[in-house]
Amino acid sequence: MRVRIATFNLENFDMPHGHGIPLEARVAVLRPQLLRLRADILCLQEVSAHVPHHGVHELQALERLLEETPYAGFERRTTRGRSGGPNDKHNLVVLSRLPIRAFEQHWHDLVAPPVITIATSPSPHDVRVVWDRPFLEVRVELPGGESLWVFDAHLRAPLAAPIEAQKLAATSWRTTEGWSEGYFLASIKRSGQALELRRRIDAVFDDDLRANVLVAGDLNADASSSAVRILRADVEDTGNPDLAPRALEALEERVPTEKRYSVLHHGRGQMLDHLLASQSLARRHVATDILNADLDDEFFTPHPVGSLHAPVVVELEV
């Protein structure tokens, strides 16, 4: 039997605000993309819930998007904020046609927030560097009874984090050293998220080196970045062949180079959305596709109707 697993960043998908793009216009573009994926397991990022219902944030826009699709009847798991409900923005959601046997989210339960000194603020001080959001772990039962661990992740974007008194406006910095420290802070967040996820993956391998593990999501990083290298743990980096069973393979590398991009920036393709598979799972690979034929360039599209990310889907023989 074949199983299809996909990842898709829906690009700040929510009920419209103010003069935002009407929801129906976005649904008209995004729903056909979801249907083309024909996914059995669908990992989504940037699912927002700004508009509260009776004081509780709900994923109303997602409900509308999934109407009249097979995904409406799938089992669903989502990340939660500190209050217990969905965050107002950038939630992770996993939809599965196959039974979900367990799930949890991880947010500093495996890696404590590092403490650094902010040097460019008016009064240098120590801060705890907290990740922007958790990652979601879902254990799915495959046909035949095997388990599949799916990790839905959205790592910090490579945009400088705010530094006290160093911003002139939302996108304008007062000094280059302030921007540099903000960019450094963002890189700590992104690599720290990757480290926490890697630790959880290794805990799964501690129980079974042949475990079926898949990391799916917008990692905001290409294959050469520190975050992706942390997650993959290639033997070329660890220098230890005995650790090879713990390495993850980037399944997009099975796609021809000219098609290997999920985001366009000023005409240049970037592979930021990934499906990373354990060795046992990679051996079951049938096909990988990146649906980027009609992808808009993010540099020229500040307010997209659809998404500025291409969905990525893999087919496995299980």
Side-chain angles (χ1 to χ4, degrees), residues 125-301:
H125 60 285
D126 290 348
V127 298
R128 296 169 69 249
V129 183
V130 177
W131 319 151
D132 294 346
R133 49 192 158 259
F135 66 85
L136 183 60
E137 172 187 342
V138 174
R139 182 168 62 83
V140 175
E141 183 179 316
L142 294 173
E146 285 186 275
S147 290
L148 167 65
W149 277 264
V150 177
F151 295 95
D152 189 2
H154 184 192
L155 303 190
R156 166 78 191 204
L159 299 173
I163 300 291
E164 180 188 4
Q166 283 290 349
K167 297 292 289 287
L168 294 173
T171 59
S172 177
W173 286 80
R174 188 178 303 278
T175 67
T176 52
E177 65 172 358
W179 171 85
S180 299
E181 188 163 45
Y183 196 86
F184 170 63
L185 190 59
S187 69
I188 292 175
K189 289 172 175 277
R190 186 165 57 258
S191 294
Q193 285 178 281
L195 172 60
E196 183 157 36
L197 178 48
R198 182 69 234 188
R199 291 203 66 197
R200 178 57 193 139
I201 292 167
D202 276 321
V204 173
F205 286 142
D206 286 343
D207 291 333
D208 182 6
L209 274 177
R210 297 171 298 175
N212 299 306
V213 173
L214 187 77
V215 174
D218 175 8
L219 304 184
N220 271 309
D222 63 22
S224 64
S225 71
S226 58
V228 174
R229 290 173 68 177
I230 287 170
L231 290 172
R232 292 187 59 174
D234 287 337
V235 173
E236 291 180 359
D237 285 327
T238 64
N240 185 351
D242 292 338
L243 297 179
R246 295 174 178 263
L248 301 183
E249 179 179 334
L251 296 179
E252 70 267 10
E253 292 182 351
R254 312 242 183 149
V255 175
T257 305
E258 64 273 13
K259 284 195 61 179
R260 199 182 303 162
Y261 63 91
S262 62
V263 171
L264 277 175
H265 182 80
H266 216 301
R268 183 170 65 90
Q270 299 176 305
M271 194 68 213
L272 305 184
D273 302 84
H274 300 265
L275 292 170
L276 310 178
S278 61
Q279 302 302 301
S280 61
L281 204 60
R283 285 192 289 269
R284 303 173 184 220
H285 178 270
V286 176
T288 300
D289 197 9
I290 306 168
L291 305 184
N292 53 21
D294 301 315
L295 190 61
D296 290 325
D297 192 312
E298 65 175 3
F299 187 81
F300 303 107
T301 316

Side-chain angles (χ1 to χ4, degrees), residues 34-49:
L34 295 183
L35 293 174
R36 282 199 298 272
L37 291 171
R38 296 180 289 110
D40 299 293
I41 302 171
L42 179 59
C43 300
L44 301 174
Q45 302 89 43
E46 292 199 22
V47 181
S48 297

Side-chain angles (χ1 to χ4, degrees), residues 78-89:
T78 182
T79 48
R80 300 287 172 176
R82 302 297 188 189
S83 64
N87 280 311
D88 61 344
K89 62 180 182 178

